[in-house]
Amino acid sequence: MKQLAEFVKERRKKVNLTQEEFAERAGVALTVVRKIEQGKTNLNLDKVNLVLRMFGHELGPVNSRIFNK
């Protein structure tokens, strides 16, 4: 979650938006952006993806069996 938090925070600052401005443009509540940037782990994947789509990215489930071979 730390990588996600850093990614979102760095990209948001790069486009010179406050958390509030960014949340509004992403279509999520301010608390969603704050939770992501704080590295919280109880996040709604749909909301995270709304935020990430602002940067052309998306999170999805990964089959861990592929990585454990």
Side-chain angles (χ1 to χ4, degrees):
M1 294 310 278
K2 186 176 179 182
Q3 290 176 343
L4 174 64
E6 290 172 3
F7 175 82
V8 171
K9 189 172 187 175
E10 287 173 9
R11 293 290 179 103
R12 176 183 60 78
K13 287 185 173 189
K14 193 172 186 177
V15 295
N16 200 31
L17 292 173
T18 65
Q19 287 181 333
E20 188 172 352
E21 292 166 334
F22 183 74
E24 186 175 321
R25 289 189 186 190
V28 298
L30 175 58
T31 55
V32 172
V33 174
R34 286 184 176 159
K35 285 180 180 181
I36 292 171
E37 290 190 6
Q38 291 170 357
K40 302 289 184 184
T41 57
N42 59 336
L43 301 169
N44 178 304
L45 186 59
D46 291 332
K47 301 290 184 185
V48 171
N49 278 329
L50 285 173
V51 169
L52 290 177
R53 283 186 194 122
M54 295 288 291
F55 308 117
H57 293 274
E58 186 173 302
L59 278 179
V62 176
N63 186 341
S64 62
R65 285 185 248 163
I66 293 171
F67 297 106
N68 292 328
K69 288 185 177 182

